[in-house]
Every structure is written in C-alpha cells, then in structure tokens.
Amino acid sequence: MAISRSDVRTLTRRSMEMGARVLRGTLHIDADGIRIGDTDLAAWLAEYAGHEFMLVAATVGRSVVESDLKSCNICGRDYTGDHCPHCAEARARLRGN
C-alpha cells in the first residue's frame, strides 16, 4: 500500500532527526543485485552487520484523488491549486497581513 508524499517526507525527516539513515530512489532487482537508486542495498546493509536493525520501507504513491496534488518545494506539504496555502499564510503573517 502506498502512502502520500507528505507522510513519507514527515517519516523521513523525523527519522533523520533521530539519527537514522535514509535511502531514496526506485527499487531495482536484476542480475546485478538489489539497488535503491544507485545504491547497492546489500553493501549498504552490510554496514549494519552484527547490530540490531529495523527496516522501514514506504512506497510513495498517488491515489486518484491525489492526482491533482502538488508537493511544495519549501515545506514539503501536498496541496492543490496554484500556491501552497501553508506557505502563503506564513508569508502573509510575516509581512503583517
């Protein structure tokens, strides 16, 4: 099951703030092995050999309803329309409007 981009960004940001490492990219499984983006997953996981390890995987997807959603480049929230309402509100507040 896929989760929204904003939820994935929140999960990623919070994980990184706690010191977790994060990989992002398209999953490829072929004769050369398993890669996420350009990173060899087996080599990446080998760094954690001998340690207790927890893996969280999230598939980023869009539902039919989300097809008109855009992701804000500033705050990372998903929105519809021309401008991110969260950032627009913050700009107005900072300008005293």
Side-chain angles (χ1 to χ4, degrees):
M1 179 174 98
I3 60 177
S4 73
R5 287 186 187 280
S6 64
D7 287 344
V8 171
R9 284 191 180 112
T10 300
L11 177 63
T12 300
R13 181 178 42 81
R14 288 185 181 164
S15 299
M16 291 173 68
E17 287 171 355
M18 289 187 267
R21 292 192 47 206
V22 175
L23 281 180
R24 178 182 178 189
T26 304
L27 178 65
H28 300 279
I29 302 172
D30 53 31
D32 295 331
I34 300 174
R35 293 177 288 116
I36 296 180
D38 293 329
T39 304
D40 180 338
L41 191 56
W44 189 78
L45 290 172
E47 297 177 32
Y48 303 102
H51 296 279
E52 183 176 354
F53 189 81
M54 185 177 293
L55 179 65
V56 177
T59 301
V60 180
R62 293 186 178 268
S63 67
V64 175
V65 175
E66 291 180 316
S67 63
D68 293 332
L69 287 178
K70 299 173 192 167
S71 293
C72 180
N73 293 329
I74 296 169
C75 70
R77 289 181 170 87
D78 291 339
Y79 66 95
T80 57
D82 295 329
H83 304 287
C84 172
H86 176 265
C87 291
E89 179 183 324
R91 280 192 301 275
R93 189 174 56 250
L94 291 171
R95 292 179 183 152
N97 296 338

